[in-house]
Amino acid sequence: MAEPARHIDIIDARPAFTQADADALNTRFEGVDTLSMLKMVFAEGLAGHVAVVSSFGTESAVLLDLVARADRTVPVIFVDTLKMFAETLNYRDTLIKRLGFTDSRTVAPLPEVIAAKDETGLRWSYDPDGCCDIRKVEPMKRAKDGLDAWISGRKAFQSVTRQNLPRFEVEDGRLKINPLGDWSKTDLEAYFAERNLPRHPLEAQGYLSIGCEPCTSKVLPGEDPRAGRWRGWDKVECGIHSPVSPIPAPVADPDDPANMPVF
């Protein structure tokens, strides 16, 4: 008897999302308010298996409240670098309980990696990029395993590296959603007041952007909101966020009379 033909397993390595998908979503939700957008994305399964990533910083309550109002079962992921302010950890617990999330996840650096690459715990003082890589980027990569999409709290106004931030972008085949990308500081403050959301306890002391305790300082009047992060270093991001995929500029129509030469 002849042996049956051997079945060859083929792994589909195609990305779950493409830039065309992000462009289509940006077009569909242009002008739609943030809460309605989130409700539709979750209800219609447009993002697949999705989670919200939060640093539980000074502005985090706004995004978390919006996500909770849309769907409290959406997982919330927090990366505990083991260098966080105690106030941040307490704020995390307060918000999760207050907003009623049912799936809160904390991911931390691997003990063996810390032992091998930061035994003294002082790597932040001479190699902040390397410190972020082992304490934040690698744990976040593990946390995103199995996710089709993730929700970020980035806002365009926060720094020059975040300008032209689209609502939807693609990163490593995953959909990345920036619901607050076009929100201003005034919008955030109004939402805090409207929803009576608790503030991060360190904000009143001048900490406007809060990360790990050793690499976070107070922001001086007139400074960029993220000026207190890695002060003195040529560094503005931890590495979790790649450079922004800017909103494409409209293509001029050569047949439009407005684009015709005057003479």
Side-chain angles (χ1 to χ4, degrees):
M1 175 183 288
E3 294 184 2
R6 189 171 65 135
H7 175 71
I8 301 177
D9 291 328
I10 300 177
I11 299 175
D12 185 359
R14 293 175 299 175
F17 289 94
T18 65
Q19 187 57 48
D21 296 321
D23 292 342
L25 288 168
N26 280 318
T27 298
R28 173 179 172 180
F29 290 107
E30 184 177 0
V32 178
D33 69 272
T34 306
L35 181 57
S36 297
M37 179 198 76
L38 288 171
K39 286 181 176 179
M40 285 186 274
V41 167
F42 298 151
E44 298 179 29
L46 300 178
H49 186 195
V50 60
V52 57
V53 176
S54 179
S55 65
F56 290 89
T58 57
E59 298 163 351
S60 296
V62 172
L63 176 61
L64 291 171
D65 185 71
L66 286 163
V67 172
R69 291 172 69 186
D71 187 347
R72 286 185 173 86
T73 67
V74 171
V76 180
I77 298 174
F78 171 67
V79 178
D80 184 357
T81 64
L82 309 181
K83 293 285 186 182
M84 310 303 290
F85 286 93
E87 289 88 346
T88 296
L89 301 179
N90 292 333
Y91 189 52
R92 171 198 59 187
D93 297 341
T94 297
L95 285 179
I96 290 295
K97 182 177 180 180
R98 161 95 175 246
L99 301 178
F101 281 104
T102 61
D103 187 351
S104 175
R105 308 174 186 179
T106 297
V107 61
L110 299 171
E112 59 269 29
V113 173
I114 295 298
K117 297 185 176 182
D118 194 13
E119 185 178 12
T120 65
L122 294 174
R123 188 162 185 163
W124 62 268
S125 66
Y126 60 88
D127 180 19
D129 284 336
C131 187
C132 285
D133 189 57
I134 62 177
R135 291 182 179 272
K136 204 162 188 179
V137 177
E138 191 282 326
M140 187 67 241
K141 184 177 180 181
R142 280 187 281 115
K144 289 190 294 185
D145 284 345
L147 293 180
D148 301 311
W150 61 293
I151 303 170
S152 156
R154 292 185 302 168
K155 277 79 66 177
F157 77 86
Q158 288 176 320
S159 70
V160 294
T161 61
R162 297 183 174 189
Q163 291 178 358
N164 298 320
L165 190 64
R167 273 184 165 181
F168 299 90
E169 56 184 334
V170 174
E171 184 177 278
D172 299 327
R174 289 188 183 88
L175 188 67
K176 189 172 181 179
I177 309 173
N178 306 301
L180 305 181
D182 59 352
W183 281 46
S184 67
K185 186 64 174 175
T186 300
D187 295 330
L188 294 172
E189 293 302 320
Y191 192 91
F192 262 105
E194 176 190 345
R195 299 288 295 168
N196 192 29
L197 296 173
R199 313 296 298 232
H200 193 294
L202 292 178
E203 184 177 8
Q205 299 179 34
Y207 293 92
L208 303 187
S209 180
I210 300 173
C212 294
E213 185 171 4
C215 298
T216 301
S217 60
K218 297 179 181 181
V219 175
L220 302 176
E223 285 188 318
D224 185 298
R226 288 177 62 83
R229 304 289 293 277
W230 305 287
R231 190 178 291 280
W233 292 92
D234 183 19
K235 179 177 173 64
V236 294
E237 297 281 0
C238 65
I240 283 180
H241 300 294
S242 62
V244 171
S245 299
I247 300 172
V251 178
D253 181 358
D255 297 323
D256 188 332
N259 296 316
M260 295 294 184
V262 177
F263 302 108

